Amino acid sequence: MACAFLCLAASLAPAQIRTETRVVLVDTIVTNKQGDYIPGLAAKDFHLWEDNKEQTIKSVALEKGTTASRPHYLVLFFAPMQAAERMVARQAVSGFIDAHAEGNRKIAVVSFNGGMRIGQNFTGDAGRLKAAVNVAIASGATNGEVTTGISDSSALDTIRALGNLARSLSDLQGRKTIVLLNGGLSQSSVQKAELAAAIDACNKSDVAVYPIDLRPLFSGVSAARAGRQFDAPATTSTMGRRQPGGPQGDRADSEGAVQDAGTSNQQSLFRLASGTGGFVIANAGELQGGLQKIGAEQSEYYVLSYTPDTKEGVKEGSCHSLRVKVDRSGTMVRARTSYCESKPQDLLAGT
């Protein structure tokens, strides 16, 4: 009798109704001029624009260290490079893996040398990751001692592979980062279009790119502009900086600034970084400090959320520009520059 009554009561209970709300999440890194992270910010300290229209920020959460609620996915992407650069990369990346492959932080190893190879899918096992790095570096050799970066055709293929990799990460929920280890990417007018497509793919998948130029400083990278934002090699004091300003001023001059970034085969690297919210490690001398900073950025950042204005006829895949500003003097802000409309795979799942 009791069982029958409970079953009847359950059958008469009102059905649960799910509703769908459009929410955009924007990972945002805020530092001072010295590159130190700024804690304690609230929604009132931020301003956010979508398509140059300011939005109401619903929430701000500081994701920090082991208490971060969102998983972190980081891909070590090895492009073709020279023998000396491979040796430098192996040692530095092994130390990075030991320090950061733990908890909810997962790392994968991918290499590209004419074709994409997944050496190790996402894992926290440092031993497996370092073994995959050894294979990836061994398979990433270029033919001959080229001092100006990989060829035009190889650079184009590498950029395409990067875009495809970003697209494959779209279903992962959490913070996503690609660390691009390379020997400089030459640039042409054809590559500019492919580069724009790769940046668009990264923004659609919410992926930040951190390019690393493994060539030594004397290979043509100029240190004369070290105090400038986009056209300077990143240093411990300039890495990660972004121009301050409002919806128009945030990156109004970034295109012109990137034109002179480092050397001709670093312009693509600076565009990738500035377009996706990462920064460039511009030469092998900055590798150790740069990797430490990349690791720190996986553990200390703000997540802004807002509900976009309801739009009639919004189409899946349509994209919108983003701008973020902090109302505090002396701050540097980095975030992705756009997002694209997407539908959940299962509307009834409430995702």
Side-chain angles (χ1 to χ4, degrees):
M1 287 288 291
C3 179
F5 177 80
L6 291 174
C7 291
L8 177 62
S11 68
L12 295 177
Q16 290 185 343
I17 298 176
R18 293 183 182 272
T19 60
E20 183 184 18
T21 301
R22 297 172 63 244
V23 176
V24 178
L25 302 179
V26 185
D27 292 355
T28 304
I29 296 168
V30 185
T31 66
N32 59 22
K33 292 182 178 180
Q34 289 71 44
D36 301 320
Y37 299 103
I38 299 177
L41 298 178
K44 63 181 178 60
D45 299 310
F46 289 90
H47 292 278
L48 189 152
W49 290 264
E50 177 189 304
D51 295 335
N52 292 329
K53 182 178 180 180
E54 187 164 7
Q55 304 294 311
T56 300
I57 297 175
K58 298 295 184 181
S59 67
V60 173
L62 177 62
E63 296 281 289
K64 187 172 182 179
T66 57
T67 63
S69 61
R70 303 170 69 206
H72 301 162
Y73 298 98
L74 185 143
V75 180
L76 297 170
F77 181 22
F78 292 88
M81 62 188 76
Q82 297 177 58
E85 295 159 357
R86 297 199 306 273
M87 295 301 294
V88 172
R90 177 185 286 113
Q91 182 177 1
V93 169
S94 294
F96 177 84
I97 289 172
D98 285 332
H100 298 287
E102 60 180 5
N104 63 352
R105 289 179 288 192
K106 306 300 182 183
I107 299 177
V109 177
V110 172
S111 59
F112 180 80
N113 193 13
M116 182 77 78
R117 182 182 184 277
I118 300 176
Q120 174 61 55
N121 212 325
F122 288 108
T123 182
D125 188 321
R128 291 166 61 186
L129 288 166
K130 287 190 284 188
V133 166
N134 290 336
V135 174
I137 290 176
S139 65
T142 56
N143 294 321
E145 291 298 317
V146 181
T147 60
T148 57
I150 59 179
S151 66
D152 287 352
S153 60
S154 183
L156 182 60
D157 291 340
T158 300
I159 292 169
R160 286 175 176 165
L162 177 69
N164 290 333
L165 176 60
R167 293 181 188 97
S168 73
L169 300 175
S170 61
D171 290 337
L172 294 177
Q173 299 299 310
R175 181 161 177 76
K176 290 166 281 188
T177 299
I178 296 176
V179 178
L180 173 62
L181 298 106
N182 68 97
L185 297 178
S186 60
Q187 180 170 281
S188 68
S189 58
V190 176
Q191 290 167 9
K192 288 182 180 180
E194 199 65 46
L195 185 66
I199 292 172
D200 182 61
C202 290
N203 281 315
K204 285 181 178 179
S205 299
D206 196 9
V207 173
V209 180
Y210 293 79
I212 299 177
D213 189 340
L214 289 166
R215 295 172 301 159
L217 181 63
F218 60 79
S219 62
V221 181
S222 173
R225 308 186 193 95
R228 297 177 62 184
Q229 297 281 28
F230 287 104
D231 59 350
T235 66
T236 54
S237 60
T238 61
M239 277 186 299
R241 291 189 179 184
R242 171 176 244 167
Q243 296 284 7
Q248 300 291 342
D250 217 7
R251 283 175 293 277
D253 299 324
S254 62
E255 181 68 17
V258 174
Q259 291 286 349
D260 298 323
T263 63
S264 60
N265 48 26
Q266 285 190 326
Q267 292 177 15
S268 296
L269 306 184
F270 278 83
R271 283 195 172 90
L272 278 169
S274 64
T276 63
F279 60 77
V280 175
I281 302 174
N283 59 74
E286 297 168 347
L287 181 56
Q288 293 288 354
L291 283 173
Q292 290 176 5
K293 191 170 179 64
I294 291 173
E297 292 201 352
Q298 309 313 300
S299 302
E300 189 157 355
Y301 61 97
Y302 292 92
V303 180
L304 315 183
S305 72
Y306 73 97
T307 300
D309 295 337
T310 301
K311 303 179 180 69
E312 296 296 332
V314 170
K315 295 182 179 180
E316 184 176 4
S318 61
C319 299
H320 310 277
S321 65
L322 292 173
R323 304 280 193 273
V324 180
K325 178 185 176 183
V326 172
D327 273 341
R328 185 173 294 191
S329 62
T331 56
M332 302 295 173
V333 181
R334 284 186 291 113
R336 58 174 167 159
T337 57
S338 67
Y339 81 94
C340 300
E341 301 285 348
S342 63
K343 293 182 180 180
Q345 294 182 353
D346 182 359
L347 291 174
L348 296 180
T351 55

